Amino acid sequence: MEGGSALAQFVPLILIFAIMYFLLIRPQQKKVKQHQEMVKALRRGDQVVTQGGLIGKVSKVKEDNEIEVELAQGVTVRVVRSTIAQVVNKTEPAK
């Protein structure tokens, strides 16, 4: 009888972990994956918003995890790719 009651004590713990996985962990992993794909697909001409709130146009995509963003005419800053929060306007690939 003690073996069954020990198992019954762990069932609520297992259920709580399963609920936490499906409500918190799994959606967060999906969001991270979507962000990585978005950042990987950045190209010249895309209008982006950084996590700091700066809006600009991608002027150059570098290989070393950086991009150059033009904030205003003649004002270009280097930005780490992972700090791009969203892409506002996507450009079409050149034919």
Side-chain angles (χ1 to χ4, degrees), residues 4-94:
S5 66
L7 182 62
Q9 290 176 351
F10 285 111
V11 169
L13 192 61
I14 292 169
L15 288 173
I16 289 172
F17 179 75
I19 291 169
M20 292 287 283
Y21 176 77
F22 284 108
L23 292 179
L24 297 175
I25 299 170
R26 192 163 167 235
Q28 183 66 24
Q29 288 174 339
K30 276 185 171 181
K31 189 175 178 181
V32 168
K33 187 175 181 182
Q34 287 175 341
H35 183 262
Q36 288 173 343
E37 290 172 2
M38 176 197 68
V39 169
K40 189 181 284 187
L42 282 174
R43 64 175 148 247
R44 190 170 175 249
D46 291 348
Q47 189 172 6
V48 296
V49 178
T50 66
Q51 288 179 354
L54 298 174
I55 300 172
K57 188 177 278 190
V58 176
S59 60
K60 185 189 250 184
V61 178
K62 296 184 172 185
E63 297 296 322
D64 56 346
N65 203 23
E66 286 183 4
I67 59 172
E68 285 188 9
V69 177
E70 184 177 17
L71 301 176
Q73 190 171 355
V75 180
T76 306
V77 295
R78 291 182 356 195
V79 179
V80 177
R81 281 184 185 228
S82 61
T83 62
I84 299 298
Q86 72 181 73
V87 176
V88 179
N89 289 330
K90 197 99 174 101
T91 58
E92 295 299 318

